[in-house]
Amino acid sequence: MNKQAYRIGEPAPWFVAPSSVNPAFHFDTLGGHHIVLCFLGDCRNPAARSILESFLNAQAELSQREVVFLAVTCNPDDQPLSNLISYTGYVKFIWDFNQHVSSLYGCIEHDSGTASRYRPVTVVINSLLQIAAALPWRDPSTHASDVLDYCRRQPQRMTGVALAQAPVLRVPGVLSADDCSMLIRLYRESGGNPSGFMRLESGRTVPAFDPDFKRRRDIRLEDHPDMQRRVSRRIETRLLPYIRHALRFDPTRFERYVVGCYDARDHGTFLPHRDNTSPGTRHRRFAMSLPLNEDYIGGDLRFPEFGMQRYRPAAGEAIVFSAALLHEVTPVTRGERFVLLCFFHDEADAKLRGPDSQDS
């Protein structure tokens, strides 16, 4: 895919296009499914036809796994191929005759003149409508089986009756494994300082330290501007679109990125608290907690008002919640829990920020 294409971990571009099922198919209605978006271009191409036939031969498995296969073709002469579909709920053709969808996903490569070249690719999209993988056609004879193997390794959709839970947003893959490793390495190289919290004293919001209430050590990314820019780009492209979509809030400002460490050697913990209860913190709208590792015991998030369930996001997965929610971090009993933390607010919230506001 060319440099204009969306990247792994970012939201997949939505589109409305004619299809084999209706003249205006809305891509976003597939949320909750894994999606195989196969950009065939033109099925007169032997490689494209071979790959399409392999996927069509796997229609029963696609249906069983509730994976939707979308075959994108730009040639009107390919329309009779829709007669080969046996499972219309899980296999569809997208008639991309104006190449809009292909361009949206970076499959149209333009040279210095007016000519263009079609670059076929298969994009796998997860149930949150994030781009999970972009798989080039290295070997048409095995491409479909490679894609299906990838889909088989993905977690199945959860079913059953939903239990009561806190109103939180979870977005996987906001940071890559390399991003997480770099942040942990940066923490180890820099060391951490005791992390305080904000307390109201004599009408002013002041930092306080109480190891009986909070035991964590932090580094601030503002002291590492290159890494802060890298993290900011990830947050902007991979997380903020979901905050706007799911929480109907447009963050325009953030309040510090810190990498914190809860260490089992002192049973690192943070007792139940809210993040916006003082005049100096009332501007905070949402908090983000993003674990950087998984090799520890304890250190789970909990929202007592909504039950005693423990929330344990995977490394690189962001959990976003209202700064007004009561929450805690249970003691770490083995290893170290590294986490990236941040607060979000907007321009209206910024006007609430008092002169004694401080980051904590």
Side-chain angles (χ1 to χ4, degrees), residues 91-342:
V91 178
K92 312 176 197 299
F93 279 87
I94 302 298
W95 308 131
D96 191 30
F97 304 145
N98 63 3
Q99 298 189 341
H100 169 70
V101 180
S102 298
S103 297
L104 197 61
Y105 280 80
C107 295
I108 308 297
E109 184 178 69
H110 298 279
D111 61 18
S112 56
T114 58
S116 62
R117 184 167 68 96
Y118 198 90
R119 303 186 65 181
V121 68
T122 299
V123 178
V124 180
I125 297 165
N126 67 19
S127 59
L128 201 59
L129 299 184
Q130 287 175 302
I131 294 181
L135 307 173
W137 295 5
R138 292 191 175 91
D139 184 349
S141 66
T142 63
H143 180 73
S145 61
D146 292 342
V147 173
L148 290 170
D149 284 342
Y150 178 89
C151 292
R152 293 180 189 116
R153 295 193 297 270
Q154 304 314 302
Q156 296 296 305
R157 294 201 298 169
M158 294 185 65
T159 59
V161 177
L163 301 176
Q165 62 180 22
V168 301
L169 171 66
R170 298 179 65 164
V171 180
V174 174
L175 294 186
S176 68
D178 286 344
D179 295 330
C180 293
S181 296
M182 285 190 286
L183 287 170
I184 292 173
R185 185 165 59 250
L186 188 65
Y187 179 94
R188 294 194 186 283
E189 292 171 351
S190 304
N193 296 312
S195 177
F197 52 93
M198 306 311 292
R199 174 179 289 170
L200 186 63
E201 293 183 2
S202 302
R204 289 181 57 82
T205 304
V206 298
F209 297 87
D210 180 355
D212 290 331
F213 184 65
K214 179 183 183 182
R215 292 188 294 278
R216 191 182 81 210
R217 297 179 70 86
D218 295 344
I219 64 169
R220 295 175 179 264
L221 285 193
E222 65 188 32
D223 299 327
H224 308 274
D226 290 343
M227 182 59 71
Q228 179 166 294
R229 283 191 291 270
R230 181 187 180 106
V231 167
S232 292
R233 286 195 297 270
R234 298 286 194 266
I235 298 296
E236 180 179 356
T237 58
R238 299 182 180 183
L239 178 60
L240 296 194
Y242 289 99
I243 295 178
R244 298 185 187 107
H245 171 64
L247 303 178
R248 304 301 293 168
F249 177 69
D250 187 8
T252 58
R253 300 194 180 200
F254 72 90
E255 184 180 338
R256 99 288 191 264
Y257 291 121
V258 302
V259 176
C261 178
Y262 294 91
D263 195 328
R265 287 175 292 186
D266 62 358
H267 285 74
T269 188
F270 199 169
L271 296 187
H273 63 285
R274 305 179 197 271
D275 291 322
N276 67 346
T277 54
S278 70
T281 59
R282 61 182 178 173
H283 61 281
R284 295 173 176 173
R285 186 72 70 92
F286 288 97
M288 181 199 76
S289 177
L290 192 157
L292 303 175
N293 65 316
E294 299 177 15
D295 52 340
Y296 58 88
I297 296 177
D300 298 318
L301 267 175
R302 194 154 57 190
F303 300 87
E305 295 165 305
F306 295 88
M308 299 306 286
Q309 304 98 315
R310 292 172 295 149
Y311 292 74
R312 191 180 180 89
E317 177 182 1
I319 183 166
V320 180
F321 53 91
S322 168
L325 289 185
L326 186 70
H327 60 286
E328 65 179 313
V329 178
T330 63
V332 174
T333 58
R334 182 180 298 175
E336 299 168 294
R337 175 185 185 254
F338 292 96
V339 60
L340 176 70
L341 301 163
C342 179

Side-chain angles (χ1 to χ4, degrees), residues 12-17 19 21-22 24-35 68 70 89-90 92 94 125-129 157 245:
W14 293 7
F15 58 84
V16 179
S19 75
V21 292
N22 60 47
F25 177 75
H26 288 249
F27 167 80
D28 66 283
T29 61
L30 297 178
H33 293 273
H34 279 82
I35 305 161
V68 177
L70 300 181
Y90 293 97
K92 312 176 197 299
I94 302 298
I125 297 165
N126 67 19
S127 59
L128 201 59
L129 299 184
R157 294 201 298 169
H245 171 64

